[in-house]
Amino acid sequence: DDHAGHDDHDDHDDHAGHDHGAHGHGSNSAGWAWAGAFRISPGTHVWTAEKVAGSYVHGEKSIKLFYGYSNLTDGEAAIAELEPSAQAAFSDCGKTMKVSGNTEGLLLGYDQHGAGMPAAAKPPALYNLEFDTSSWFSVWKFKSQIAKESTIVIFADHPAIELEGEAGHYFRDAAGTNIEPIHEVPDGGDVEKA
């Protein structure tokens, strides 16, 4: 079962030349504080979080995350395309899927039309990634639902840079290569549409 570890929930290495933008935290009226667009290939990818000064992300127990795919190669436009879905997901906590860190559970994202989403999480859906508080490091695997290189857009309630520590970048491919954003919206808010 690709969804092991999933429960329905009701209620860095050198980054020279790469600007992560402001490192504020918290959310806005849209519910998310950061968005990043990345170009990825088919396969499994990993999202990580590391304790810094003894705790994860300001002492939080989890990070909320929504992601989807876009056929657009322009990162800013891809974020704008998926922002309404992200806002809807962050507004509907009743469809949040809880996924514990350091489990074998896979996160299966979907495109803007809802393709590839597990039946338990029809869009809009939000992942609540729970940090493994017994460990200094938490890892989640993403199995991309794409046939060719595509843009993945990730929205989170904290800037992703806050997940990084000595172990390095928060998003990598299966070989461990960093996947850097092609565009970020560091502080959330409305995304200008061209």
Side-chain angles (χ1 to χ4, degrees):
D1 181 4
D2 279 349
H3 305 96
H6 288 200
D7 295 315
D8 288 336
H9 176 68
D10 294 325
D11 337 344
H12 209 303
D13 53 341
D14 185 288
H15 283 274
H18 176 69
D19 179 14
H20 283 287
H23 297 167
H25 60 88
S27 59
N28 56 30
S29 61
W32 52 272
W34 173 88
F38 306 80
R39 294 292 291 170
I40 63 168
S41 298
T44 300
H45 302 80
V46 293
W47 184 265
T48 62
E50 182 177 347
K51 283 184 179 178
V52 175
S55 67
Y56 289 104
V57 191
H58 309 293
E60 299 285 343
K61 303 273 190 224
S62 65
I63 184 170
K64 289 184 175 63
L65 182 145
F66 168 89
Y67 76 103
Y69 299 103
S70 173
N71 291 323
L72 301 174
T73 56
D74 178 272
E76 185 175 9
I79 290 172
E81 176 187 39
L82 287 165
E83 196 272 341
S85 295
Q87 186 167 345
F90 273 91
S91 297
D92 189 358
C93 292
K95 294 183 180 176
T96 301
M97 291 186 70
K98 180 173 62 175
V99 186
S100 299
N102 301 334
T103 68
E104 289 303 310
L106 292 174
L107 308 183
L108 300 173
Y110 60 91
D111 64 19
Q112 64 271 28
H113 305 294
M117 199 63 185
K122 294 293 185 188
L126 188 67
Y127 286 104
N128 188 38
L129 304 185
E130 295 185 326
F131 302 127
D132 181 355
T133 56
S134 67
S135 175
W136 65 275
F137 195 67
S138 292
V139 178
W140 298 269
K141 294 180 182 178
F142 288 75
K143 184 177 181 182
S144 60
Q145 302 293 295
I146 53 177
K148 61 181 181 176
E149 184 180 49
S150 299
T151 301
I152 185 171
V153 180
I154 300 173
F155 295 82
D157 64 350
H158 289 278
I161 186 73
E162 294 180 356
L163 303 174
E164 295 183 356
E166 294 298 318
H169 195 51
Y170 54 84
F171 195 33
R172 302 177 194 177
D173 65 18
T177 304
N178 290 351
I179 303 173
E180 296 285 356
I182 56 174
H183 189 77
E184 295 179 273
V185 179
D187 297 315
D190 294 331
V191 180
E192 292 273 330
K193 295 180 174 61

